[in-house]
Amino acid sequence: MANPIQEILEKQVMTVAKAMEDKLDDEIASLEKLDEDDLEVLREKRLKQMKKMAEKKKRWMSIGHGEYSEIHSEKDFFTVVKASERVVCHFYRENWPCKVMDKHMSILAKQHIETRFVKIQAEKSPFLAERLKIVVLPTLALIKNTKVDDYVVGFNELGGKDDFSTEDLEERIARAQVIHYEGESSLKPKSTTQVRRNVRQSARSDSDSE
């Protein structure tokens, strides 16, 4: 006897596949109708988009995007937040959990140059810590357009343990729309286990006692 649930799922899959096929056929048909002038317009538009993106990346890199850096004063924090549309700021202290977070932040800073990744020592920033209600360390302040939009507090949302993957953190930050994210990790799929292991081992190798 046929499984009615299975039949429904198969029909749904076929419907989605047919819709995607029809959309692709329409796009191919549209391209076939383009003449040389239309193609030239598309090329010009694409070149302008690429040039604009290149200029953005150049500006981002000039103000510290692409690397994970430390802010040494509360005044510098406000300067950084005003200069970048998207900022992830790690409030830390010299302990093991914060070193774990450092390793993941360093990786993501290189993967998402559209966002500034920084850290600041909470104990040396009492005004900020009080104003932003920073209690648990590590805490990530996720900032958009100079305003703190969300927080990642400790490891609770990352599985509750220190062996979470960089992809786990990437997906959590993406939920606050502080990084560009298309639903799949920007990191290589094969790196999930490797990054988890390497981050933990590397962090332990240079960790200090609390």
Side-chain angles (χ1 to χ4, degrees):
M1 183 177 179
N3 187 331
I5 297 178
Q6 183 67 27
E7 289 181 358
I8 292 172
L9 289 174
E10 289 177 356
K11 287 180 181 179
Q12 290 177 339
V13 170
M14 290 298 295
T15 300
V16 172
K18 182 64 168 60
M20 292 177 67
E21 185 179 349
D22 291 344
K23 183 179 179 181
L24 182 59
D25 288 342
D26 290 342
E27 291 176 354
I28 292 172
S30 297
L31 288 173
E32 289 175 345
K33 292 177 183 178
L34 295 176
D35 56 26
E36 283 297 322
D37 289 339
D38 292 327
L39 289 172
E40 186 61 32
V41 169
L42 284 176
R43 277 195 289 266
E44 285 292 326
K45 184 177 180 181
R46 180 59 179 156
L47 284 171
K48 286 180 180 178
Q49 289 174 339
M50 291 173 65
K51 184 179 179 181
K52 187 176 181 180
M53 180 52 66
E55 290 172 349
K56 274 188 175 182
K57 287 183 178 180
K58 185 177 179 180
R59 178 186 174 276
W60 287 335
M61 300 294 281
S62 72
I63 58 175
H65 289 228
E67 61 184 34
Y68 179 47
S69 54
E70 182 162 5
I71 299 173
H72 295 286
S73 73
E74 293 178 319
K75 181 180 178 181
D76 289 340
F77 172 85
F78 292 104
T79 300
V80 166
V81 167
K82 289 177 182 177
S84 298
E85 182 181 346
R86 294 170 294 273
V87 179
V88 178
C89 183
H90 173 201
F91 284 84
Y92 82 99
R93 63 177 297 186
E94 292 295 337
N95 64 9
W96 161 245
C98 291
K99 288 182 181 296
V100 171
M101 190 64 78
D102 281 340
K103 299 298 179 180
H104 294 295
M105 291 279 282
S106 295
I107 294 169
L108 292 177
K110 294 178 177 64
Q111 295 291 332
H112 292 280
I113 64 170
E114 74 277 5
T115 301
R116 183 84 189 270
F117 286 80
V118 296
K119 67 177 182 177
I120 187 168
Q121 195 162 354
E123 293 171 347
K124 294 182 179 180
S125 311
F127 172 76
L128 277 176
E130 182 178 354
R131 180 174 176 178
L132 300 180
K133 296 179 173 59
I134 305 296
V135 178
V136 176
L137 300 176
T139 286
L140 303 184
L142 310 182
I143 304 162
K144 291 191 297 185
N145 299 312
T146 74
K147 295 181 180 179
V148 177
D149 194 64
D150 199 357
Y151 295 93
V152 179
V153 180
F155 298 156
N156 288 341
E157 297 181 72
L158 303 167
K161 298 180 179 179
D162 62 17
D163 64 346
F164 62 91
S165 70
T166 305
E167 291 89 339
D168 292 334
L169 181 60
E170 182 182 34
E171 290 173 6
R172 173 59 186 88
I173 294 173
R175 290 206 293 271
Q177 299 181 339
V178 181
I179 56 175
H180 293 165
Y181 187 74
E182 300 299 331
E184 294 184 0
S185 174
S186 65
L187 303 167
K188 295 180 181 179
K190 67 178 182 180
S191 69
T192 304
T193 303
Q194 183 178 355
V195 168
R196 182 179 296 163
R197 186 184 300 116
N198 288 349
V199 164
R200 192 169 185 178
Q201 290 175 346
S202 179
R204 283 196 185 281
S205 68
D206 61 2
S207 64
D208 299 322
S209 58
E210 294 186 31

